[in-house]
Amino acid sequence: MKCILGIDQGGTKTHALISDLQGNLIGFGCSYGACHSTEGMQCAMCAVQEAVRIALEQAEITGKEIVSVAAGMTGVDWADEAELLKQELINTLQLQGVPVTVVNDCMIALRASVSGSSGCILCAGTGLNCGVRDGRGHEYCFGFYIPDEDQGGMALGRRALRAVYDAESGKGSRTLLTQLILEDAGYVSTDALLRAHVTGQLSGNWISGLPILLEEAAIRGDAVAVHILKEFGMNAALYVVAALRRFSMENDPVKVVLSGSVFKCKAPELLDAVRATILKSAPYAEIIESEMEPVTGAVLLAADALYGAASVLFYEHIKRDALRFHMIRKNMKEENGL
């Protein structure tokens, strides 16, 4: 049986998903996360190999039956990295003669959420990225053009800490964030917190988790927290505006996908700011949440490479089977009463 393979590799997990040539999902595998540019190529490829092995076993096929592969991988920020990873995948998975497509992982998240060949995605997790496809074969990802001060949960965490420090020094307004962050970190004073920060005792994981406290403070009416969320939302949305402008898509009825943990914020100010900023410059944009896990987008990209474009029926089969393979995101589960 000839099959299609999709791969999604991020910093926290590596997914492999297999479908038949009609889009019926038949195998899934999961392994640890890795990035070739930080953990090394061998580490990244071992994670891919393990996830693919599990997916092949579940599908009850061998790698020789794979006829098209697409992979969305973290760390694909320059053109040469896509080609480098493509060759590594071909060698690791013995894919000689099989078409292999490699893109930045945010682009498979976009393909998972739109049935057509154009659209824009804003991914905000620990970091931030924005990608766009114009439907005419052109695409763009911002990658390293996004500075640290806009990098998702980490940037929000740093802003929350800065607000606490500014409140203590008198430069900024008093904020509920001081109490919440000190309690969460286990320090009795802002002096102690700041000293721990400058001496490297606050972990990056803890800082990137501070948006949860920002959300709590904003819901409780803290003006400083509300301002941080609004400002972040506006700045993040400007990447979408720039992406659409790049390909003259501001007046198109384009779908803009919001994906990532930051956009799960229950304080409305962040999403309100994102939507208002995008719609001000792109009034016909349709702003949607991601529905399926990004690895489904990798399968669709592999089908695009095989067929020129995956059929509507292929896409519908993927969506139908995604629930059984736990590939549906929470918002869509709630819509289905699950």
Side-chain angles (χ1 to χ4, degrees), residues 50-243:
E50 181 179 4
V52 171
R53 176 185 59 79
I54 296 169
L56 289 170
E57 288 177 357
Q58 189 176 90
E60 298 182 340
I61 64 170
T62 69
K64 293 180 180 179
E65 294 168 273
I66 300 298
V67 296
S68 186
V69 178
M73 308 188 76
T74 186
V76 181
D77 296 304
W78 314 106
D80 61 298
E81 288 181 300
E83 183 60 31
L84 172 66
L85 285 163
K86 174 182 174 179
Q87 292 304 318
E88 289 291 339
L89 287 173
I90 289 171
N91 295 334
T92 299
L93 301 177
Q94 298 180 355
L95 296 170
Q96 284 75 14
V98 175
V100 177
T101 302
V102 177
V103 296
N104 184 279
D105 53 342
C106 83
M107 299 308 289
I108 60 170
L110 173 60
R111 187 64 182 90
S113 300
V114 297
S115 57
S117 59
S118 67
C120 186
I121 188 163
L122 185 62
C123 298
T126 301
L128 186 78
N129 203 353
C130 179
V132 61
R133 301 177 73 189
D134 72 349
R136 298 182 293 274
H138 305 115
E139 63 180 49
Y140 180 76
C141 281
F142 281 84
F144 284 110
Y145 281 98
I146 299 179
D148 288 347
E149 57 263 30
D150 291 334
Q151 286 291 343
M154 183 61 75
L156 281 168
R158 289 172 178 151
R159 292 185 192 197
L161 285 172
R162 186 72 262 161
V164 170
Y165 302 150
D166 286 348
E168 177 66 22
S169 70
K171 177 176 175 287
S173 302
R174 290 187 178 183
T175 171
L176 178 60
L177 288 168
T178 299
Q179 175 190 336
L180 294 177
I181 289 177
L182 287 177
E183 288 177 354
D184 192 73
Y187 292 100
V188 297
S189 70
T190 302
D191 274 356
L193 177 71
L194 178 58
R195 186 166 188 172
H197 193 179
V198 299
T199 56
Q201 297 177 55
L202 302 183
S203 75
N205 286 339
W206 179 78
I207 294 172
S208 66
L210 289 179
I212 295 174
L213 301 183
L214 263 173
E215 173 187 271
E216 180 181 346
I219 289 172
R220 291 168 63 176
D222 183 77
V224 172
V226 167
H227 175 75
I228 291 172
L229 292 176
K230 282 183 176 180
E231 185 179 57
F232 176 85
M234 292 172 61
N235 287 340
L238 288 175
Y239 292 102
V240 173
V241 173

Side-chain angles (χ1 to χ4, degrees), residues 6-18:
I7 298 166
D8 172 24
Q9 183 165 73
T12 58
K13 86 297 184 248
T14 300
H15 285 169
L17 186 64
I18 297 173

